[in-house]
Amino acid sequence: MRLVILGGPGAGKGTQGRLLCENLGIPWIATGDIFRKAIAAETPLGIQAKPYVEEGELVPDAIAIEFIRDRLSQPDAADGWLLDGYPRTAFQAEELDFLLQSLGQRLDGAIWLDAPVEVLMQRSLERSRDDDAPQIVRRRIDLFHQRTIPITGYYKPQDKLLRIDSDRPPEVVQEDLLAQLNAPQS
């Protein structure tokens, strides 16, 4: 299965993504982790992405798609994957479709973990990563609403959008997710 997971910061993408990947036996590909590792290793793409990540801004499309191309071309991603953190705009969703076409793959579904802004804010501040200062979290939530929510309009007509209420206990969200994907539960 090839899936993307969408949701604001704190929606539960990491928690649900890891659980789902264990249940489906596919790699969880978190672009945030890919960016952070590349920045720490000071790779050419990492150096380009660093100023954007540090400001809580989206990494430009031309840089982001190269990270994705590189990762989806690795052997462990041949039979499926869950992409977390990309696409973040309708344009990126379209770019991803073109990339997948060139790799001989296609997207099976887009999971949207939906939660109220107050929940996103509270969860983000509770996990307190280095880059989770209140003003940065607020900026990420604003960007999510401006740029990412329109993606739902891209995937819905393709009948690929699965909207999941993520303001529930993690195990309930996961059961709902597996049921909607019609996936065998382990």
Side-chain angles (χ1 to χ4, degrees), residues 160-172:
K160 289 185 180 175
L161 188 67
L162 301 173
R163 186 193 164 278
I164 305 284
D165 173 7
S166 67
D167 189 14
R168 300 178 291 170
E171 57 282 357
V172 175

Side-chain angles (χ1 to χ4, degrees), residues 4-7 13 28-32 35 58 64 68 82-89 92:
V4 297
I5 192 164
L6 310 166
K13 295 183 300 293
W28 178 57
I29 301 173
T31 54
F35 294 159
L58 297 181
I68 304 303
L82 176 72
L83 197 51
D84 171 3
Y86 191 94
R88 292 211 169 161
T89 65
Q92 287 180 350

Side-chain angles (χ1 to χ4, degrees), residues 85-154:
Y86 191 94
R88 292 211 169 161
T89 65
F91 177 78
Q92 287 180 350
E94 205 171 0
E95 284 292 299
L96 179 62
D97 282 348
F98 290 134
L99 171 62
L100 293 178
Q101 204 172 3
S102 76
L103 296 173
Q105 302 179 11
R106 71 175 193 81
L107 189 69
D108 295 305
I111 299 159
W112 176 27
L113 296 178
D114 193 13
V117 171
E118 308 75 56
V119 172
L120 300 179
M121 198 74 190
Q122 180 187 347
R123 286 182 183 171
S124 293
L125 295 173
E126 282 171 359
R127 71 180 179 198
S128 65
R129 284 196 321 228
D130 294 347
D131 57 349
D132 278 346
Q135 67 277 15
I136 302 268
V137 170
R138 184 76 235 183
R139 177 81 182 123
R140 281 205 211 104
I141 291 171
D142 290 346
L143 278 173
F144 170 72
H145 284 101
Q146 289 166 23
R147 298 185 181 166
T148 308
I149 296 242
I151 296 179
T152 61
Y154 178 80

